[in-house]
Amino acid sequence: MALRRSEHDLEALESAVRDAVLAQGAAMLGKFMSAVDAAKPDTPHVCPKCRRAMHCNGPRAKKILTLLGEVEYSRSMYQCPACGQTRYPSDEALDIQGASRSPGVRRQTARLGSKETFQEVAEDLLELAGIRLSRKDAERISESIGSDIEARDCRERERMRFQPPPALDTPKTIETLYIEMDGTGIPMVPWELEGRKGKQEDGKSKTREVKLGCVFTLATCDEEGRPIRDPASTTFTGAIEDAATFGWRMYGTAFRRGLFNAKRVVVLADGAEWIKNLADTHFPMALRIVDFYHAKEHVANLCKALFRKPEDIGRHREAWWDWLAQGRIEAILENAALYLPRDTDAAKDAQRELNYLDKNKEHLRYQKFREQGLFILKTPVES
């Protein structure tokens, strides 16, 4: 007989069965957690402050939210007879010391928190897993785990700063390693912007700059000679920090990804001075490529500064974009010099764009780069 929703609500049945199974699982998990405390320690528990042996003061109950629901279990409390410091060794062993959420709940929360708003995290956890968290709980958990990850990465980057590079005869196992960097403003809450100068009419700021970077590898091209980014090869990083600190962040990321095992290293970015300085400092061996779209923007701005009529702007822009794609930067410079305006402000704007193209001309040889099977667009970090 066909099931009708009015007679048999399968979704309700699914939910009921899930709740029952989770309740049984939570009870079993509580027994397992209590059993951890029953194991006798090989050595006495020592006070972390005065290093004296601690005395057991009996069991204490604790409730903790797990992926199976709320679980109550019992564990022993140890106390130092000298300073009164207390410890719960079972909490430490289960990674729930000072926490009311299990490692599984914390990990799932942080995973979702990296992709959506904290309010959505709370809603999704309730809908999909029956886990009740507030928006603030989701925020605290995600940021706590994020802080732990950043502290670990910071220690690793510091270690890499003083680690000598591999020997020159180390086998090169990576065909091409790409390093991309960029910066963009992100809106911030008012208290994060106190005392910071900005571009608003009142001199205040509405954003702060976050510096972003990614590292990925390239081994092959498609049948038409277009480069293909290696699957699952991209590592992203980013932070609100000064350029010098971010430089070491990028160096550490590239080091982990095989900086010194690459046959070729490419820094692909816009022509920003701070990025150029970081590349000079940390990746002097790299081939530099300026993002093609960014270079096109400079050529378009040059046309706007040189010409007033829209048809003149459009005609020269299209012609010079073709030359740019061919890497004929000198041709653009020579042709543009013939149209320098007498107007001081327009001439200043045009000269700024000409200086940009001239300074970066060796990083704008796009036809040569394409012939070598290289990317000329910094799409990963832009996205």
Side-chain angles (χ1 to χ4, degrees), residues 118-181:
F118 297 127
Q119 181 62 42
E120 290 172 323
V121 171
E123 294 170 356
D124 284 348
L125 285 173
L126 179 59
E127 178 68 21
L128 301 176
I131 298 173
R132 292 185 178 276
L133 287 179
S134 69
R135 180 198 64 79
K136 199 64 181 177
D137 289 335
E139 180 181 356
R140 291 193 186 100
I141 293 171
S142 299
E143 292 188 348
S144 175
I145 290 181
S147 297
D148 290 343
I149 293 173
E150 174 61 19
R152 181 200 65 195
D153 287 351
C154 185
R155 291 192 297 269
E156 188 176 5
R157 289 196 299 272
E158 192 66 20
R159 177 182 61 80
M160 291 176 181
R161 287 183 63 172
F162 302 101
Q163 184 172 331
L168 294 177
D169 59 352
T170 300
K172 304 296 184 181
T173 57
I174 298 173
E175 193 65 33
T176 303
L177 181 82
Y178 273 85
I179 299 165
E180 296 186 355
M181 292 177 275

Side-chain angles (χ1 to χ4, degrees), residues 299-354:
V299 171
N301 291 336
L302 174 62
C303 293
K304 292 177 183 178
L306 292 177
F307 308 105
R308 293 183 179 276
K309 297 180 179 180
E311 56 269 26
D312 291 336
I313 294 175
R315 185 174 66 256
H316 285 87
R317 183 181 59 211
E318 293 302 320
W320 293 350
W321 276 354
D322 286 342
W323 291 356
L324 179 67
Q326 298 166 23
R328 297 172 57 193
I329 313 305
E330 289 80 2
I332 299 175
L333 296 173
E334 292 173 7
N335 196 218
L338 301 175
Y339 299 100
L340 282 175
R342 295 180 180 180
D343 178 81
T344 305
D345 291 337
K348 186 183 299 182
D349 292 340
Q351 193 59 56
R352 181 175 62 250
E353 301 300 341
L354 289 171

